Amino acid sequence: MNNNTATIPWLVYRGIRPDGQDEEELEEHGRAEEGGGQEVRDAAETEDDDYGAVTHTTICLRHIIRVRVDESLTAIPANAFAYCTELREIKIPETVTSIDHHAFFRCDLLVTIQIPCQLRIVEWNAFSFCCSLASIWLPDSVVSIGANAFQSCTALEFIRLPGGITSIESSAFDVCSTLATLEIPGSVILIGRLAFARCKSLQALRIRVPSS
């Protein structure tokens, strides 16, 4: 990796556009979420010609379709992939313990996401409006699901809630309109207002009794 990417090596992205062409000019497509639309300039090729490294921590690369995150990262930053409407797949390394707010907000085509076994927190609006996400398996390490975390994930048919989770915040699964069954572990001590509102397909809700 070139020296100009060594300072914040937080993300490695798949530089393929929806039309199948390689991303030759990252600056044409990468835009920072903050700073008045400042272009993302710190990019370089890695040993794999299909990947580039991005050093900005609040970016929106609207044309990427696959992502693998660098193993030095311990959290997916807030707004990291917000409005990446072509993103379909992402692999998150086992080092990540938190997915911050709006990290994948309105990733319309996101279908597959590999959740790390050490993840503890899914913050508010982390996956809201990911309308193609059909299933998600949360590991037992997760203790909290933030407000609106999966709101309007209208294709979500299955979610596995971990055995150690303690809080499901307000509107966490609001408008998950295809979610049919759900089991809430006995470890849960807080279910926020409207957590499962407008889940019109929900037919079976099982709440486990806490073990003594």
Side-chain angles (χ1 to χ4, degrees):
M1 185 178 295
N2 293 350
N3 289 335
N4 65 330
T5 65
T7 52
I8 318 174
W10 77 273
L11 168 67
V12 176
Y13 79 98
R14 178 77 173 172
I16 302 295
R17 290 166 45 182
D19 57 11
Q21 298 180 5
D22 290 343
E23 287 280 17
E24 296 180 353
E25 296 291 337
L26 176 65
E27 292 178 1
E28 291 181 4
H29 304 289
R31 293 292 184 271
E33 284 290 299
E34 300 174 349
Q38 177 184 359
E39 292 181 350
V40 178
R41 300 182 181 279
D42 295 327
E45 293 181 353
T46 63
E47 294 180 359
D48 185 341
D49 291 337
D50 288 335
Y51 289 86
V54 179
T55 64
H56 202 289
T57 58
T58 52
I59 64 171
C60 182
L61 300 174
R62 297 174 188 270
H63 295 274
I64 57 173
I65 61 176
R66 297 183 187 89
V67 166
R68 63 178 175 85
V69 177
D70 191 271
E71 293 184 356
S72 65
L73 196 68
T74 59
I76 303 296
N79 304 300
F81 300 100
Y83 296 100
C84 288
T85 55
E86 301 296 334
L87 181 63
R88 292 166 172 80
E89 301 175 18
I90 184 164
K91 182 178 181 181
I92 301 176
E94 295 301 320
T95 54
V96 169
T97 60
S98 174
I99 298 177
D100 293 349
H101 69 85
H102 292 88
F104 297 98
F105 180 72
R106 288 194 179 273
C107 290
D108 296 346
L109 298 182
L110 183 62
V111 175
T112 302
I113 183 164
Q114 182 175 328
I115 301 294
C117 293
Q118 304 302 315
L119 185 70
R120 291 186 55 81
I121 298 173
V122 180
E123 287 194 357
W124 47 285
N125 287 101
F127 293 96
S128 53
F129 293 91
C130 289
C131 53
S132 297
L133 190 63
S135 66
I136 193 162
W137 185 277
L138 297 178
D140 287 336
S141 55
V142 172
V143 296
S144 176
I145 296 176
N148 307 93
F150 295 94
Q151 184 182 37
S152 294
C153 291
T154 53
L156 188 65
E157 297 178 352
F158 171 81
I159 184 164
R160 187 261 186 182
L161 296 179
I165 189 170
T166 59
S167 64
I168 301 171
E169 302 290 344
S170 60
S171 299
F173 297 96
D174 183 24
V175 203
C176 289
S177 53
T178 58
L179 187 64
T181 62
L182 187 67
E183 180 174 307
I184 299 178
S187 57
V188 173
I189 58 176
L190 171 66
I191 298 178
R193 183 174 179 268
L194 303 175
F196 303 100
R198 295 181 285 182
C199 293
K200 62 183 181 180
S201 298
L202 190 61
Q203 298 178 355
L205 178 62
R206 181 181 181 185
I207 302 177
R208 287 187 171 272
V209 177
S211 57
S212 57

